[in-house]
Amino acid sequence: MSPGPALPAWLTRVAVFDLETTGIDVASDRVVSAHVGVLDAEGRQIAARTWLADPGIAIPDGATAVHGITTGYAREHGRPAPDVIAEVTAALRSLLGQGVPVVAYNAAYDFSLLAHEATRHGIEPLVDPAPVIDPFVIDKAYDRYRRGKRTLEVVAEHYAVPLDDAHEASADAIAAGRVAQALARQFSLPPTLTELHTRQIGWARSQAASLTEYFISVGRLDPEQRLDGAWPVRTSPPTTD
């Protein structure tokens, strides 16, 4: 990472978290691989663990096309899903308990799916993880009118963060952490983790409401449907009131 302005003290040591999964439904899809690491102030990974799970269901071809993990490979090399979910949840709970912020890109997806998986396997879920840093939400809040997609690949490139192996859990997690640090160097983020976490709850809610209006206008949602703007854990796909 190139040198830049000093980071806020709370961004000089951050955890990073990413999942690769069987699909995009947080309530029904399953974890295939996971990564939890820790970055220092220069964005170097100083601790890490990666998991491969046998999700217990077939991995759709579409998901394999994204992350490269087949059903056969996961069954042969992956560990039982309950063990993986328990260990990932425990690792995150430990870091959060120490006050280490966890960076996750589009955090509501990863934390929500992990919570549903934990409940599925009888593990106490992370129902209100904090402090969490979500570069997806922060980027949209501070650069609202920038055109183009907001995928991790696109946003990493925008902030000059290398991402050489997209959709591999460790690569995505590390890139998300470095994007968070790049955002802090470019914008004046809230001075404390508590305030940043609270602001993101509001930003995510507003962003979901705005996207709901757009989807209704182009016919992707019915007028009575709403996107769930809860953050960092949501409960459902679009629902009707």
Side-chain angles (χ1 to χ4, degrees), residues 29-207:
D29 279 303
R30 311 296 174 87
V31 171
V32 176
S33 65
H35 181 85
V36 176
V38 178
L39 306 186
D40 66 12
E42 284 72 45
R44 296 175 299 209
Q45 186 160 245
I46 56 176
R49 185 168 180 189
T50 299
W51 292 261
L52 176 66
D54 174 359
I57 63 173
I59 300 172
D61 291 343
T64 296
V66 172
H67 51 60
I69 302 170
T70 65
T71 301
Y73 187 87
R75 286 175 177 168
E76 181 177 356
H77 300 284
R79 295 175 55 220
D83 295 347
V84 170
I85 301 307
E87 291 172 11
V88 173
T89 300
L92 293 169
R93 181 174 281 119
S94 175
L95 288 162
L96 293 167
Q98 298 170 53
V100 178
V102 174
V103 178
Y105 196 84
N106 194 12
Y109 170 76
D110 295 87
F111 277 106
S112 299
L113 194 145
L114 182 68
H116 279 286
E117 278 275 66
T119 300
R120 181 175 295 116
H121 297 296
I123 298 158
E124 183 183 356
L126 291 167
V127 295
D128 190 20
V132 172
I133 300 171
D134 188 342
F136 176 70
V137 170
I138 296 169
D139 176 56
K140 290 177 72 175
Y142 279 85
D143 199 357
R144 179 178 179 182
Y145 298 107
R146 189 176 78 245
R147 291 182 176 274
K149 295 180 178 181
R150 302 283 180 139
T151 64
L152 177 57
E153 290 174 270
V154 170
V155 173
E157 182 178 5
H158 178 76
Y159 291 105
V161 171
L163 177 53
D164 297 328
D165 196 7
H167 302 298
E168 190 275 326
S170 62
D172 284 0
I174 293 167
R178 292 172 177 171
V179 168
Q181 293 175 329
L183 285 163
R185 289 189 173 100
Q186 182 154 336
F187 301 108
S188 296
L189 300 186
T192 68
L193 272 173
T194 299
E195 184 177 349
L196 177 62
H197 187 91
T198 301
R199 291 275 191 93
Q200 288 174 102
I201 293 171
W203 291 335
R205 185 184 304 116
S206 297
Q207 290 163 13

Side-chain angles (χ1 to χ4, degrees), residues 213-239:
E213 291 179 5
Y214 171 73
F215 280 171
I216 290 172
S217 73
V218 298
R220 289 184 61 179
L221 286 178
D222 292 332
E224 68 275 14
Q225 290 183 297
R226 294 293 181 269
L227 295 174
D228 186 349
W231 182 95
V233 175
R234 62 178 186 253
T235 56
S236 64
T239 58

